[in-house]
Amino acid sequence: MAVPQPVLEPMVPVTAKVLGVRRETPDTWTLSLEPDRPGLPAFRPGQFNMVYAFGIGEVPISISGDPARPERLVHTVRAVGAVTRALAGSRPGQVVGLRGPFGTAWPVEEARGRDLVVAAGGIGLAPLRPVLYHVLSNRADYDRVVLLYGARSRAELLYRRDLERWRGRFDLDVLVTVDRPDARWRGNVGVVTALFQQAAFRPEATVALVCGPEVMIRFTLLELEKRGVPDHRTYVSLERNMKCGVGTCGHCQLGPVFVCHDGPVFRTDRIRDWLGKREP
Amino acid sequence: MPPRLLATDEVEALFQALRRRGPVFGPAAGLDSGARPPPAGRLTPLRYAPLERACDAVLAPAAFGYPAKRLWFRPSVTLAAARRAVPASGPGPWEPGPPPAGAAPPLNPDPARPFAVWGVRGCDLAALERLDAVLMTGPVTDPEYAARRRAGTVVAFTCTQAGPACFCTATGGSPVPAGGCDLVVTPLAGGPGGNGAREYLVEPRSARGEALVEEVGGRPAGRAAVAAAAAVIGSVRAALPRSLNGRLRPENAAQKAARRLDSPAWDELAGRCLGCAACSLTCPTCPCFDVVERVSATADAGWRERRWTSCLVPDFGRLASHNARARRENRLKHWLLHKLAPAEKVTGGLTCVGCGRCSTWCPAGLGLRAALESLEGEGGLP
């Protein structure tokens, strides 16, 4: 297949083949992609790609696969807009565009030897799944590991197979809650922050990673603070509109930082002034 | 090379030397062909157009015209082309590749073609430095912008007159062009804007600039000429404000405004702002762009375009799920705080270069300084 005429190198996607599409929830699909051009840089947990449906548009989507298998790029997409709907409807063998990987990563190295709290809300689990893959492949490097995950309902839980497998392990605490239980739900009910009561970790030795809707992030940070986890050891991943992904176009700016380039993963104390403000 | 003194005809020779290398753009009055003239009495901005003679350049204060940034950072650039795929090879209607003949997207002019820009003011030159930090020396280099920066010769002019909206000195700037350019020209005596000057002090700032001056000659500038230039600059500087507003100085502006993020004064300000984005589209430092998908009239070719946008446009921060800056108040706050932020890689300067275009072209009479004033008036700024 012909390559796009390169005009602006950082802005020109490479083509990637859709290997598989898997429905996760009623409105969320996971795509496995294989770039046509080998030698793309390996990704680190927390980074994202700009994924392009030709003729429709491009969106930043976090990479949610195993960082030890960088040749296959896994993206979980919630069909909420024109581009994500098109991507969700793609079929194996089809071609999409890719640019990346972009952005900062979760501090998996810095967290070594410490307790790790991973708190996710809804599709916020997608950028955190590579962390869990990494941690479980290097389990001896970390002390206690706790996953706190909240979804709106049982049907909206992502990565059911992973969650069930992880819950079967003795070296990982997996706590899951839903806002709206149905008759078949036997687990926790309520918001993610309620799960902290059951979570066993040592606040003074903990690194916490948080991703979800901004309101969930806000309350989770409050809870972590209340439990004594210092804000220089809590990290959040933020979502913004992005057009370039490389710190140029201005769309994702939050105060002085570019979410695409200085983030999406931020150490909380570095953006504290800008969180929870009236849409700065 | 020490400064040289050029007479009017030698300046014209300099201009023609540039023209032999490529088109020379300078601030010009008049409208694009086909554009409707404005209602009587209404001002139209000067725009950078290819000129034939040096004296055609209208050397007015910068705020009277559009910024020169469009010559390097073009309003729209084609990023990639695509053709219609039947059956579609991807989830979208296109596949990458050259579009069919006749349906081709507008091609980008060769960015490496030499050109020159004549009559750039100190504020616009400072703005170019800020654009460089974003598009060239930042995290990534925009190849198109970088090629144009290399291809363009910049002849900057010292201001001989402070415009009614000028405040470069309050942002850390100066009426004397500083920073990356090839030549700095200071008109020594004569009428406003230097058009009536008979002698010009010319300082080369690059090897390219030196070669140009060698070509046209002139004579070494004596002490009197340097003193005459200093006098011109001194009188302009005296007419320029030293602070943005009251006690708001470049080094404390961003901090003070950021401390008032939750002030109700922003709401009042947003009530007067029309959200038209004229301020940021005429701003020489605004680098934001959008990436849009375009379709040919026959729908058999598509292309992606990078084009200017503004953070004041409602869709700027929109995500599929929500809008990160849904209210005009927040967009205005974002714009103002960004302009007050210290410029990257520029010591002691703000992102704003004080050209005054935002206040000149704001239909609601706002602009950066008026906005600050209203914040202060509302008890918004200390």
Side-chain angles (χ1 to χ4, degrees), chain A residues 4-13 99 244 248, chain B residues 73-74 76-80 108 111 135 141-147 289 291 304-307:
Chain A
Q5 298 171 334
V7 180
L8 277 191
E9 209 50 80
M11 294 299 294
V12 177
R99 294 191 292 126
C244 73
T248 306
Chain B
F73 176 48
R74 293 199 307 121
S76 77
V77 171
T78 304
L79 296 174
N108 297 319
L135 296 162
T141 296
D142 179 326
E144 144 104 16
Y145 178 84
F289 60 83
V291 177
R304 309 193 77 198
E305 205 172 273
R306 179 200 83 183
R307 69 178 182 206

Side-chain angles (χ1 to χ4, degrees), chain A residues 1-13 15 18 52-58 78 80-81 84 86-87 89-91 93-96 99 214 239-244 246-255 258 261 273-274 276-280, chain B residues 77-83 88-99 108 134-135 139-144 258 261-263 267 287-291 293 304 306 309 315-327 329-330 333-334 337-338 344:
Chain A
M1 172 171 286
V3 255
Q5 298 171 334
V7 180
L8 277 191
E9 209 50 80
M11 294 299 294
V12 177
T15 52
V18 179
Y52 178 36
F54 288 99
I56 298 180
E58 202 179 36
R78 202 167 143 225
V80 280
T84 47
L87 290 173
S90 62
R91 291 180 302 280
Q94 287 193 324
V95 174
V96 297
R99 294 191 292 126
E214 285 199 11
E239 185 191 20
R240 282 290 182 279
N241 181 7
M242 296 176 190
K243 293 291 179 183
C244 73
V246 291
T248 306
C249 78
H251 286 74
C252 70
Q253 271 187 300
L254 174 66
F258 283 88
H261 177 257
D273 290 350
W274 300 94
K277 288 283 173 191
R278 290 167 65 191
E279 304 165 19
Chain B
V77 171
T78 304
L79 296 174
R83 61 187 168 218
S89 64
W94 316 114
E95 64 182 17
N108 297 319
V134 176
L135 296 162
V140 294
T141 296
D142 179 326
E144 144 104 16
L261 273 183
D262 292 324
S263 164
D267 289 317
C288 289
F289 60 83
D290 205 353
V291 177
E293 308 293 324
R304 309 193 77 198
R306 179 200 83 183
T309 186
D315 271 356
F316 190 77
R318 190 189 297 283
L319 295 153
S321 54
H322 70 290
N323 190 336
R325 279 184 289 275
R327 293 194 299 271
E329 165 221 337
N330 302 109
K333 194 190 290 183
H334 180 77
L337 287 178
H338 192 187
E344 264 180 84

Side-chain angles (χ1 to χ4, degrees), chain B residues 63-318:
Chain B
F64 290 11
Y66 289 120
K69 77 172 175 186
R70 64 168 53 225
L71 298 170
W72 296 279
F73 176 48
R74 293 199 307 121
S76 77
V77 171
T78 304
L79 296 174
R83 61 187 168 218
R84 190 174 181 80
V86 185
S89 64
W94 316 114
E95 64 182 17
L107 286 177
N108 297 319
D110 178 13
R113 195 174 69 138
F115 68 99
V117 191
W118 184 268
V120 175
R121 295 301 187 184
C123 52
D124 276 9
L125 200 61
L128 200 53
E129 209 175 6
R130 284 145 177 78
L131 289 179
D132 286 351
V134 176
L135 296 162
M136 201 160 69
T137 55
V140 294
T141 296
D142 179 326
E144 144 104 16
Y145 178 84
R148 284 179 180 277
R149 283 290 277 133
R150 280 191 298 273
T153 303
V154 182
V155 182
F157 270 65
T158 302
C159 294
T160 52
Q161 180 193 22
C166 289
F167 60 102
C168 58
T169 41
T171 64
S174 159
V176 187
C181 63
D182 297 289
L183 290 169
V184 173
V185 180
T186 307
L188 285 191
N195 280 350
R198 297 216 182 85
E199 282 187 315
Y200 298 80
L201 191 74
V202 178
E203 298 162 75
R205 292 272 175 88
S206 71
R208 203 190 277 172
E210 287 190 8
L212 280 162
V213 174
E214 297 279 2
E215 206 173 313
V216 294
R219 52 213 152 83
R223 210 175 286 168
V226 175
V232 170
I233 295 158
S235 68
V236 179
R237 217 187 269 279
L240 287 163
R242 273 149 207 261
S243 70
L244 286 166
N245 182 42
R247 281 169 290 156
L248 217 52
R249 300 185 63 83
E251 53 280 12
N252 64 18
Q255 271 175 326
K256 287 197 170 182
R259 251 186 264 144
R260 290 296 182 272
L261 273 183
D262 292 324
S263 164
W266 295 99
D267 289 317
E268 186 275 334
L269 199 54
R272 290 195 281 149
C273 168
L274 304 174
C276 71
C279 50
S280 66
L281 293 173
T282 58
C283 177
T285 70
C286 276
C288 289
F289 60 83
D290 205 353
V291 177
V292 292
E293 308 293 324
R294 304 293 302 275
V295 182
S296 70
T298 50
D300 52 3
W303 61 97
R304 309 193 77 198
E305 205 172 273
R306 179 200 83 183
R307 69 178 182 206
W308 287 3
T309 186
S310 162
C311 59
L312 290 155
V313 169
D315 271 356
F316 190 77
R318 190 189 297 283

Side-chain angles (χ1 to χ4, degrees), chain A residues 202-225:
Chain A
R202 298 162 298 156
E204 70 286 357
T206 291
V207 169
L209 316 178
V210 186
C211 186
E214 285 199 11
V215 58
M216 172 268 177
I217 291 178
R218 208 151 68 230
F219 283 100
T220 305
L221 290 178
L222 281 175
E223 191 66 32
L224 285 163
E225 195 182 326

